[in-house]
Amino acid sequence: IDDVDKDKRVAVLKAFFRKHDSPLYEHADYVVKVADEYGLDYRLLPAISMQESGACKVIPNNSHNCWGWGIYGGKVTRFASYPEAIETVSRG
């Protein structure tokens, strides 16, 4: 994928995250980068975050976990940052 197509994808994600007032807005470029590294559609993680947390608006405190990753019963998986969470969920 060339830089122009990558930039279009980042712009699409930024518009999506802005529309939904998501804290992932600042990480749109990283979502695209990591999706490319793992051979994922760049829209997958944003779609899961939308379903699981309204694009990160309703998440456990201090978790950076917008994807419901490892959250069940009383267990909550917490990440130190959104980039760490993006990387872990993409890899998984």
Side-chain angles (χ1 to χ4, degrees), residues 9-61:
R9 294 180 299 157
V10 171
V12 166
L13 283 188
K14 283 190 171 201
F16 174 80
F17 291 141
R18 179 179 285 134
K19 177 181 177 182
H20 295 287
D21 195 27
S22 174
L24 292 175
Y25 175 85
E26 300 293 327
H27 306 285
D29 57 337
Y30 192 67
V31 170
V32 170
K33 176 184 178 288
V34 174
D36 286 351
E37 286 177 12
Y38 290 104
L40 302 173
D41 187 308
Y42 76 100
R43 297 167 292 194
L44 181 60
L45 259 66
I48 295 169
S49 77
M50 192 66 193
Q51 179 67 32
E52 292 293 327
S53 67
C56 292
K57 288 191 285 191
V58 181
I59 64 174
N61 287 337

